[in-house]
Amino acid sequence: MATDYCVYHADRAANWNCVACGTLLCQECFPAAPQATHSLYCTMCTGKMRYLGVGNGLPSFWSQMPRFFAYPFAMNGLIFLALLAGLASASAKLFDTNSILILLPIFIVVALAVRQSLRVIEFCSQGRAKPPGISELFDGNPTTLKMFGLMVAYGIIVGCVGQFGLLGVALIVCLSGLLPASIMLLAIHGTLRDALDPIQVIQLAARIGWSYLGLLLVLLITAQGPEQAIALMPAGTLKHLAEHYPYMLIAIFVATTAYFNMVMGAMMGYLLFQHHEDLGIQPDDDHAGAPVDNRALELARAVILVRESRYPDALKHMAGMVADYPNDLHVLEYHHKLLCQSRGDPDRVQLYTERYLQALLDMQRKSRMTAVLEAACQVVPGYKPKSIALRRALAEEYFLQKRFKPAIALIGMLHKEAPTSDELPAAYYLLARIYSEGLREDGKAVMILDFLLKHHAGHAIAGEVENYRKVILSLGQMGQATV
């Protein structure tokens, strides 16, 4: 199956395609839900977007060969192979091989192997990674009997067309080639009528395309697997098992046959999964469409506009998103980043920087605040937030980062800029700590503390300010005594 790739990610398969301009996008570039009830439009031309399905992003059939042959070794597969081998071995021990009763356990073993193969096709067509468990073989649909009926019907048809000489031989070859398609239809639909409908059979083969011919070749080779696996065993070992442990030899043959049946079922199911959108097959939860997330989709639209150098459109789009999601940090972050990189309107940069900083403070993401401020200062040199609470929070972050000069620049003149602010005492107490603990300038720290005790004596932190002043003075006296 040919894979279309994202126009912005050459190594990623596309999940969406614009029917108007042909733009191909992966799920990251267009994170929409396939089951969205509203119409999805292209960011570039507003044309309708078409979902390509997960099948477009699947690895090629040929690259999955190791996976197909490893598939039966999953836990459920090994349990089934062991159960079938044990059942075959026990039946050979309990029943006389010359008695007609031996047909009953043979029928049971064959029926279980057929049922497992059909369920493997069904599971793999839905994208399930694990083989079906024992309990999942019995879902109430007698597809095993229908499989026997399908084989009988094909046998009758082959017998009839074989009477027409070379034409009959050609028809038999065509029927043999279409048999896997009939089996796949039986597995996914569960009805003999669909499996024998020539129109549906031919349509299925046609939809799969050239990969179906490759599948026929691989199935033909894989079908020889049990015989070849037994042939690999030394002749002496085979003779010894046949003479002394015939039940073990039966178990090996049955398990080997069931193994290769599961491999072929995985191959057929994978091809169906690659085309599940066209065939109406519902994938399992792991491959179902992503949940609806309009915010992620709208953010992705802005990214596309930026990639196309349509910065005014991107800014306009993000302004609308900020209005719709005023407290969403991802939205605020991308909008602010776009504003600063485009070096647009300084007034707008200041307005939205303040809003973004406030959101970070409210959501306790203070460690990101200094980077936001510095990005804004690249556009508006010397910018400081109007909010004193924001400036104090920023100064505190700079203090923690041991960057004392930008911290002082934010709050060093608040007694002139905002003398009546309720935030001033806490901000100046922080300023005193910066001078004392950071710059080791205890004299300036004491001056600031004295200012607080004089002008804000009744504030809640007055006692803490007084104690801190005493600590600074006592440490200073101890230092002088040591000298």
Side-chain angles (χ1 to χ4, degrees):
M1 181 178 178
T3 300
D4 295 316
Y5 292 93
C6 176
V7 67
Y8 300 114
H9 300 95
D11 59 336
R12 297 183 189 176
N15 298 96
W16 295 90
N17 168 237
C18 175
V19 298
C21 66
T23 300
L24 292 163
L25 299 173
C26 64
Q27 194 66 29
E28 178 183 335
C29 293
F30 198 81
Q35 69 275 18
T37 55
H38 60 284
S39 178
L40 298 171
Y41 65 93
C42 174
T43 306
M44 300 301 299
C45 70
T46 69
K48 184 178 180 181
M49 294 297 288
R50 178 173 64 95
Y51 183 59
L52 299 176
V54 296
N56 185 68
L58 293 175
S60 70
F61 174 80
W62 303 105
S63 68
Q64 296 301 293
M65 283 297 166
R67 174 186 165 188
F68 297 144
F69 284 92
Y71 179 81
F73 292 115
M75 182 60 68
N76 287 344
L78 289 175
I79 292 175
F80 176 78
L81 293 176
L83 174 65
L84 205 64
L87 182 60
S89 180
S91 299
K93 284 184 179 181
L94 296 176
F95 291 87
D96 184 358
T97 55
N98 296 320
S99 171
I100 194 173
L101 294 176
I102 194 64
L103 295 177
L104 177 61
I106 291 176
F107 175 80
I108 293 175
V109 170
V110 173
L112 284 174
V114 170
R115 182 59 180 147
Q116 172 76 348
S117 298
L118 291 173
R119 288 294 269 175
V120 166
I121 296 173
E122 181 185 354
F123 273 42
C124 289
S125 72
Q126 299 169 355
R128 301 193 192 187
K130 297 180 181 179
I134 301 299
S135 61
E136 293 174 304
L137 297 181
F138 309 99
D139 63 346
N141 191 335
T143 50
T144 302
L145 296 177
K146 295 175 183 178
M147 182 66 177
F148 292 148
L150 176 64
M151 300 309 296
V152 170
Y154 263 80
I156 293 173
I157 296 173
V158 167
C160 293
V161 300
Q163 307 298 322
F164 298 99
L166 291 177
L167 177 60
V169 173
L171 289 173
I172 290 173
V173 172
C174 291
L175 287 171
S176 300
L178 292 173
L179 181 58
S182 290
I183 295 173
M184 288 189 278
L185 283 172
L186 178 62
I188 60 177
H189 292 161
T191 65
L192 190 58
R193 181 182 61 185
D194 291 331
L196 290 173
D197 185 342
I199 296 178
Q200 292 194 52
V201 172
I202 294 173
Q203 284 180 343
L204 176 61
R207 283 174 178 170
I208 295 176
W210 291 106
S211 297
Y212 185 78
L213 296 179
L215 173 68
L216 292 180
L217 177 62
V218 176
L219 291 179
L220 182 63
I221 298 173
T222 308
Q224 311 302 316
E227 181 181 347
Q228 296 301 319
I230 297 297
L232 289 174
M233 299 178 66
T237 302
L238 286 174
K239 183 178 179 180
H240 180 75
L241 289 175
E243 292 177 355
H244 300 91
Y245 304 101
Y247 309 120
M248 183 179 295
L249 188 60
I250 291 173
I252 292 173
F253 178 76
V254 169
T256 303
T257 303
Y259 165 81
F260 282 101
N261 282 344
M262 290 175 67
V263 171
M264 291 189 287
M267 293 175 179
M268 290 187 279
Y270 187 79
L271 269 186
L272 290 172
F273 184 50
Q274 284 188 313
H275 299 267
H276 74 276
E277 288 288 324
D278 294 335
L279 299 172
I281 299 173
Q282 185 67 34
D284 72 331
D285 293 340
D286 291 339
H287 295 88
V292 177
D293 187 352
N294 292 328
R295 179 191 63 86
L297 177 57
E298 295 305 316
L299 272 174
R301 291 191 189 282
V303 173
I304 290 175
L305 291 171
V306 170
R307 283 173 172 159
E308 296 296 326
S309 300
R310 293 169 53 178
Y311 298 107
D313 290 338
L315 282 170
K316 183 178 179 181
H317 182 81
M318 287 307 304
M321 285 204 69
V322 170
D324 293 336
Y325 305 94
N327 299 313
D328 191 295
L329 287 183
H330 291 292
V331 172
L332 294 173
E333 177 184 16
Y334 192 75
H335 180 230
H336 184 263
K337 180 180 178 181
L338 191 57
L339 275 174
C340 293
Q341 288 182 345
S342 63
R343 296 185 174 272
D345 183 359
D347 292 336
R348 191 176 180 186
V349 170
Q350 295 182 66
L351 172 64
Y352 284 103
T353 298
E354 186 115 1
R355 179 181 296 189
Y356 183 24
L357 288 171
Q358 188 62 54
L360 288 172
L361 179 60
D362 293 341
M363 298 183 188
Q364 297 300 309
R365 300 288 193 272
K366 293 189 289 185
S367 61
R368 295 159 59 178
M369 294 177 68
T370 55
V372 173
L373 176 66
E374 289 164 9
C377 288
Q378 294 294 318
V379 183
V380 186
Y383 164 71
K384 297 177 183 178
K386 294 180 180 179
S387 169
I388 305 304
L390 285 177
R391 288 166 67 170
R392 180 171 69 85
L394 282 161
E396 187 174 5
E397 284 303 308
Y398 277 123
F399 179 40
L400 293 174
Q401 297 172 17
K402 300 187 183 303
R403 299 171 63 188
F404 308 121
K405 288 185 177 180
I408 294 172
L410 284 165
I411 58 176
M413 299 298 290
L414 286 181
H415 65 288
K416 293 183 178 180
E417 296 179 49
T420 60
S421 173
D422 293 336
E423 296 286 339
L424 190 145
Y428 266 31
Y429 178 42
L430 172 63
L431 183 63
R433 292 184 58 201
I434 293 172
Y435 275 116
S436 177
E437 301 170 31
L439 298 176
R440 304 300 180 187
E441 296 183 18
D442 290 342
K444 290 185 177 180
V446 171
M447 288 176 59
I448 295 170
L449 295 173
D450 288 341
F451 171 83
L452 287 175
L453 292 174
K454 178 179 179 180
H455 296 281
H456 300 276
H459 197 273
I461 64 170
E464 189 175 351
V465 169
E466 177 65 30
N467 290 333
Y468 190 70
R469 182 179 181 278
K470 292 179 181 178
V471 169
I472 293 176
L473 293 176
S474 63
L475 289 175
Q477 292 173 359
M478 289 176 60
Q480 292 176 359
T482 303
V483 175

